[in-house]
Amino acid sequence: MADATIVVQDVRKRFGDVVALDGVSFEVEAGTVLGLLGPNGAGKTTAVRILTTILPISEGRASVLGIDVAKHPESVRLRIGLAGQYAAVDEVLTGRENLRLVGRLCHLPKDESGARAEELLKRFGLSDAGDRSLKTYSGGMRRRLDLAAALVHRPPILFLDEPTTGLDPGSRLDLWAIISELVADGTTVLLTTQYLEEADRLADQIVVIDHGQVIAEGTATELKGRLGSTHIEVNVPLAQIDRARGALASVGEVALADTANGVAIQVADSGPAVIAAVRALDAAGIDVEALAVREPTLDDVFLELTGHSAEAEDAEVPA
Amino acid sequence: MIPTTVDQATLSREARVHPGSVVGDALTMTWRNLLRLTRNPELIVFSTVQPIIFVLMFRYVFGGAINVGGGIPYVDFLMAGVWVQSVTFGALNTGVGLAEDLQSGLIERFRSLPMARSAVLVGRTTADLVRNVFVVIVMTAVGFMVGFNYHTSALALVGALAIVLLFSYALSWLSALLGLLAPNAETAQAAFFPIVAVLVFASAAFVPVKTMPGWLQAFANHQPVTAVINAVRVLTLGGPTAGKVVSALLWIAAIIAVFAPLSIRRYRKVA
């Protein structure tokens, strides 16, 4: 990659006996979004902490804009923004004060940090709430402010650690729109997430990690094509179930159905396959009671890749 | 266009520590902590009311029963104890504040910003020092109202208050270390309280040490709270000052010398 903005080469990180990152390598191209996907405890946050100079590296190399994070952390910090999953903003202060505080700590002159705070409040739809204490903010507003705080010094690189975890669907969509806008403006983004849908929406490239190792990488489409599988499941009268199975076998591989009167098939591509399935069922004269399409989820991807479920993995990496 | 490489000259310029921004960042963090304090008026009221209650309680409840001898009114003896007691327990705020910032993830944000790394700890302890200046002034005013008087000079009184404040600053660093070691604010509080309770009550704060059993006297006479109180007493009540003041200053210097580096080291480690 000629234009790699973030380069991670065989990075290892140990906390005592616990290996959080076990030889991770990936690159992020300038102006693109990389989604770091994995269950809790996979090492996503550790990777972000290393790249943002919060944690020292145990072995390997990592650089941001060609700057080695271990050798020149000050220079890295001048060029990155971090928004975390815990929405690290001061609860007691107002939105405006929080942004001014970050502005001052980034050494913007006083009037400029004030102007920048106004600009960001406006951009993130928080102007009216700017003088309210964060205690009165909703989860979505808090995340927007957290993201705004990461942008105060106009960093070309942005790290988003599970930016929408725990948010309601509406706030999640808002945040996705904002992130897309930033990318359109040329920001390079590294995003960690537990949601395949989020990576799918935002990321140009996805790196899947588990137990501190990269287990797959590619675009969302590539990964889904390779790993997950779309299931089509139809519910039919019990008497017709064998005939339905026969009809659908021509469309995709028959899989385990969720219900007793269901027939499920695994297909590569949902759109054309649904039409083919409906045609086959119609031609066989089956009375379809219900039809459902289930897209591959992170859990499917994980099951496929690792043999264990993403949700079951709750072990936290000690900090 | 985003530059893909940064030249060596720029890197070394950016790596240089600017004394101006070290001070500036510490002041910004002090401002932030004081601003938080003004947003929590209940905390200001209660943390001021408590020392006032102590002044009044000891003055009027125990004042009649405790005879400190030497013809010194109990309230004059008491004030040194109440000042030091208040700032000692008040030092808890430093650790609790840091533990809260750690828990909320704010420290993580600060560590990702291009700011001086020292600013979080220096700003915190400085803000607590400013708060203590306010508390000590209020207590002194209340003390005067209930009959406190110094037997020396106004300058010696100011010196006494300065020692109280320096001691509060030293204890902030001990508190900071506990706050950074504790998994949460409640634990920081629970760890700090017994340490300072022993130091305050097994000291010369409220009763003369010679009224205690011998084994306790040995401890009470050789610990920092007593050393600081003794220095404050000679500065307010009179007597040979030099030795006691030096001893108090040595304790203060020792506490800072031990706990400031430990706190800074711990701060570098916590993620």
Side-chain angles (χ1 to χ4, degrees):
Chain A
M1 241 178 268
D3 241 5
T5 290
I6 301 173
V7 179
V8 175
Q9 284 174 322
D10 204 23
V11 165
R12 276 162 225 274
K13 177 68 194 176
R14 281 180 296 268
F15 298 103
D17 287 340
V18 182
V19 179
L21 291 179
D22 191 9
V24 167
S25 301
F26 59 83
E27 297 191 348
V28 188
E29 252 181 280
T32 69
V33 180
L34 179 98
L36 205 53
L37 193 65
N40 280 338
K44 304 184 300 284
T45 299
T46 305
V48 168
R49 282 176 169 158
I50 283 175
L51 286 166
T52 53
T53 77
I54 291 169
L55 280 181
I57 214 161
S58 300
E59 263 174 63
R61 289 180 51 132
S63 67
V64 171
L65 286 166
I67 307 164
D68 191 303
V69 296
K71 286 185 193 143
H72 305 285
E74 303 82 8
S75 296
V76 170
R77 287 198 283 269
L78 281 168
R79 294 169 176 83
I80 59 162
L82 167 67
Q85 58 179 313
Y86 302 113
V89 273
D90 195 317
E91 284 288 298
V92 176
L93 303 186
T94 68
R96 182 172 278 108
E97 285 163 352
N98 262 289
L99 295 179
R100 293 180 84 118
L101 172 67
V102 173
R104 298 296 292 149
L105 293 173
C106 291
H107 308 130
L108 297 182
K110 202 167 188 172
D111 45 346
E112 203 185 317
S113 74
R116 186 72 180 138
E118 295 316 311
E119 191 186 326
L120 286 165
L121 287 171
K122 202 170 157 198
R123 177 167 182 187
F124 289 79
L126 293 168
S127 292
D128 293 340
D131 286 325
R132 271 163 39 195
S133 153
L134 258 61
K135 284 178 190 152
T136 68
Y137 279 35
S138 69
M141 289 164 79
R142 214 166 290 199
R143 292 298 173 94
R144 293 210 298 275
L145 187 76
D146 184 45
L147 185 52
L151 299 173
V152 167
H153 57 309
R154 298 189 171 82
I157 320 279
L158 194 57
F159 292 91
L160 303 174
D161 189 14
E162 305 204 6
T164 67
T165 297
L167 285 188
D168 62 85
S171 306
R172 178 168 296 164
L173 285 174
D174 282 350
L175 222 64
W176 283 352
I178 292 170
I179 296 167
S180 301
E181 232 175 84
L182 290 168
V183 176
D185 291 348
T187 307
T188 304
V189 176
L190 189 151
L191 162 107
T192 76
T193 182
Q194 300 185 52
Y195 307 119
L196 187 62
E197 193 194 355
E198 184 161 281
D200 205 354
R201 261 302 262 276
L202 297 171
D204 299 296
Q205 282 282 316
I206 295 174
V207 168
V208 185
I209 62 171
D210 188 31
H211 294 307
Q213 289 181 318
V214 174
I215 53 174
E217 56 182 311
T219 63
T221 324
E222 280 168 11
L223 284 179
K224 275 196 284 188
R226 219 172 82 214
L227 308 161
S229 49
T230 306
H231 280 76
I232 298 174
E233 180 159 341
V234 294
N235 285 39
V236 298
L238 271 175
Q240 298 180 6
I241 205 152
D242 285 337
R243 272 169 51 221
R245 203 169 279 144
L248 287 175
S250 62
V251 181
E253 197 185 325
V254 176
L256 201 64
D258 286 341
T259 51
N261 66 335
V263 176
I265 52 167
Q266 197 176 320
V267 295
D269 203 334
S270 60
V274 170
I275 295 171
V278 170
R279 284 195 178 131
L281 291 164
D282 194 38
I286 311 281
D287 306 314
V288 175
E289 290 165 350
L291 183 147
V293 178
R294 196 165 62 82
E295 294 288 347
T297 61
L298 173 60
D299 216 40
D300 296 330
V301 171
F302 264 85
L303 216 54
E304 192 85 28
L305 281 168
T306 65
H308 69 79
S309 146
E311 314 276 305
E313 202 71 10
D314 257 330
E316 278 291 324
V317 173
Chain B
M1 194 55 222
I2 300 160
T4 45
T5 51
V6 180
D7 62 63
Q8 200 56 45
T10 309
L11 289 177
S12 33
R13 178 170 47 80
E14 288 169 356
R16 223 168 293 145
V17 178
H18 301 277
S21 60
V22 170
V23 175
D25 291 349
L27 287 175
T28 302
M29 290 303 289
T30 306
W31 165 78
R32 174 242 169 190
N33 289 319
L34 290 174
L35 194 60
R36 280 174 65 91
L37 202 60
T38 64
R39 293 298 146 75
N40 197 346
E42 297 88 348
L43 182 71
I44 301 182
V45 170
F46 289 123
S47 66
T48 318
V49 163
Q50 196 199 357
I52 292 174
I53 298 274
F54 265 93
V55 174
L56 298 179
M57 230 170 53
F58 278 95
R59 162 76 178 83
Y60 293 111
V61 179
F62 300 120
I66 301 174
N67 183 359
V68 293
I72 298 165
Y74 183 63
V75 64
D76 294 354
F77 174 87
L78 169 71
M79 281 311 290
V82 182
W83 280 319
V84 175
Q85 179 262 158
S86 293
V87 300
T88 303
F89 282 107
L92 181 62
N93 283 284
T94 308
V96 167
L98 282 171
E100 280 173 354
D101 284 352
L102 264 180
Q103 240 180 317
S104 69
L106 256 174
I107 290 201
E108 194 115 327
R109 151 141 293 139
F110 293 140
R111 294 171 64 127
S112 76
L113 292 178
M115 60 185 272
R117 290 223 152 173
S118 56
V120 170
L121 292 180
V122 175
R124 180 77 237 180
T125 50
T126 308
D128 288 325
L129 180 62
V130 173
R131 186 179 50 81
N132 276 325
V133 169
F134 172 76
V135 169
V136 164
I137 289 175
V138 170
M139 283 168 60
T140 309
V142 173
F144 279 128
M145 277 185 250
V146 296
F148 164 70
N149 219 334
Y150 54 93
H151 303 201
T152 49
S153 65
L155 191 67
L157 174 67
V158 170
L161 297 183
I163 286 180
V164 170
L165 291 169
L166 276 176
F167 185 56
S168 80
Y169 185 73
L171 288 176
S172 273
W173 285 100
L174 163 67
S175 178
L177 180 66
L178 293 175
L180 293 171
L181 285 169
N184 53 48
E186 291 75 20
T187 312
Q189 187 159 5
F192 189 74
F193 189 81
I195 300 176
V196 294
V198 168
L199 287 176
V200 166
F201 291 108
S203 81
F206 303 112
V207 293
V209 172
K210 59 179 185 289
T211 63
M212 299 175 189
W215 58 270
L216 194 54
Q217 280 191 31
F219 173 76
N221 275 326
H222 300 94
Q223 57 112 323
V225 169
T226 298
V228 170
I229 286 171
N230 286 342
V232 171
R233 285 214 172 110
V234 294
L235 284 168
T236 51
L237 302 177
T241 46
K244 288 187 167 157
V245 170
V246 167
S247 159
L249 291 177
L250 283 177
W251 270 111
I252 290 166
I255 293 171
I256 295 177
V258 171
F259 291 106
L262 284 177
S263 301
I264 291 164
R265 225 181 73 169
R266 178 67 198 168
Y267 176 72
R268 291 214 172 109
K269 272 195 182 169
V270 289

